[in-house]
Amino acid sequence: MNFFLQLLFAGIAQGAIYALIAYGFNVTYWTLKVVNFAHGSCLMISVMLSLTVYRMGMPIALAMLCGIAATGVMVGILERIAVRPVLDRASGMGWVVSTLGAGIVLQAVATLIWGTQAMAYPSFLFEPTDYITLFGVQISLQLVLVVAVALLVMVAMEAMVRRTIWGKVLRATAFDPDSARLRGIPVQRVVTLSFVVSGALAGLAGVLIAPISGIDPGFGLNLMIKGFVAAVIGGLGSSLGAMLGGLAVGVIELFVGGYISTAWRNGVVFMLLLLVLMVHPRGILGHKITVKA
């Protein structure tokens, strides 16, 4: 029973990280119906930058904030150079190739700067030895922090989209950009800001998971893939769906690895994705997209 609970709690924490990454996908999807496939590399850059400035003598909390802020700015610039030109001049799914290419470039640059050796990330708030006991199982307080932050972000995003002027602006931009412009909404600024927020969420996910997992220039790619799977399973554009999808992916991944084999973890997760798409192509909480002609 203890082993079951350990896997369950670890899966929930891992799923919370995937949910945070899925939230970042949702923010850009709300405005442009675009997914940034450089998300994992941006997450990794945030962690590497924060670790670098920490080693230069900056307090860890401030270093993490610097990494998150720098990643937000970087993703805003990425929208300008890798997404906007493709949307203006090309048709179809050109943004997929451009953002994937940007992610590969960022990973290559990170490898040149920091090398390929895995590094440890310093603890924040809690040490690796800090635990609470729940139902007889020891749970790392760092994992509890991850889940708490993910829930807080979900609530904040839902409140922002449904109850604030910014949320109304986002919805108007997503529904009909031309009409939004006619009503005085600075559509391009809204889009750029959505990418900045998406990048900040990627950075937040990175600095939360780094003390647990360790880091290297390639560690963001797997997280991005699982976060995207979580977003699709839950329904792109839904904050609650992102949380449910993330938890489903995290828990199933840990149970498969614990009871069957770690070699099956990714395969079963993608089988779940295919099953959900066959039954409900828009995801669990996805909504039908209305396109004006």
Side-chain angles (χ1 to χ4, degrees):
M1 186 63 179
N2 278 359
F3 183 60
F4 174 87
L5 291 175
Q6 286 175 345
L7 291 177
L8 177 63
F9 295 144
I12 290 172
Q14 189 71 26
I17 287 294
Y18 298 153
L20 279 173
I21 297 169
Y23 296 153
F25 285 130
N26 282 345
V27 174
T28 56
Y29 186 78
W30 284 336
T31 52
L32 283 184
K33 299 297 183 287
V34 163
V35 173
N36 173 23
F37 286 107
H39 207 70
S41 296
C42 296
L43 180 154
M44 173 269 299
I45 291 289
S46 171
V47 176
M48 293 297 193
L49 284 175
S50 63
L51 181 61
T52 299
V53 295
Y54 168 74
R55 288 177 172 177
M56 294 170 62
M58 185 177 288
I60 182 60
L62 190 56
M64 292 167 69
L65 288 175
C66 287
I68 292 170
T71 306
V73 173
M74 180 177 64
V75 175
I77 296 172
L78 180 70
E79 182 272 332
R80 178 75 56 110
I81 63 176
V83 176
R84 192 184 305 181
V86 174
L87 291 177
D88 288 343
R89 302 174 190 174
S91 61
M93 307 285 283
W95 51 267
V96 175
V97 177
S98 65
T99 55
L100 274 174
I104 293 170
V105 170
L106 287 173
Q107 186 170 332
V109 170
T111 301
L112 288 174
I113 296 174
W114 290 290
T116 58
Q117 187 70 31
M119 294 177 280
Y121 195 84
S123 301
F124 171 68
L125 286 183
F126 304 113
E127 296 296 326
T129 53
D130 292 336
Y131 291 92
I132 61 170
T133 302
L134 186 63
F135 301 114
V137 177
Q138 287 187 326
I139 307 170
S140 168
L141 285 176
Q142 183 68 31
L143 296 181
V144 175
L145 176 65
V146 169
V147 176
V149 171
L151 288 171
L152 182 62
V153 170
M154 183 193 74
V155 171
M157 290 182 70
E158 282 293 306
M160 181 270 293
V161 171
R162 297 178 184 276
R163 301 182 181 275
T164 67
I165 295 296
W166 171 245
K168 293 178 181 178
V169 168
L170 274 177
R171 294 199 302 271
T173 301
F175 182 71
D176 191 338
D178 294 330
S179 179
R181 286 190 188 93
L182 292 175
R183 285 163 172 76
I185 295 175
V187 170
Q188 196 53 64
R189 279 190 217 166
V190 172
V191 170
T192 300
L193 186 56
S194 72
F195 274 79
V196 171
V197 173
S198 173
L201 287 172
L204 177 62
V207 297
L208 284 174
I209 193 63
I212 303 169
S213 66
I215 56 173
D216 62 69
F219 98 110
L221 178 61
N222 184 59
L223 290 173
M224 181 198 74
I225 293 172
K226 298 294 177 58
F228 179 68
V229 170
V232 174
I233 288 175
L236 272 169
S238 169
S239 297
L240 180 57
M243 174 59 76
L244 294 177
L247 293 179
V249 172
V251 170
I252 290 172
E253 188 179 36
L254 265 291
F255 275 119
V256 170
Y259 284 110
I260 303 176
S261 169
T262 56
W264 279 86
R265 288 170 57 169
N266 291 340
V268 171
V269 166
F270 284 103
M271 286 171 61
L272 172 65
L273 173 63
L274 291 174
L275 179 62
V276 170
L277 290 179
M278 284 190 294
V279 175
H280 202 293
R282 290 181 295 274
I284 297 171
L285 296 180
H287 301 291
K288 186 175 182 179
I289 299 172
T290 303
V291 179
K292 294 185 69 176

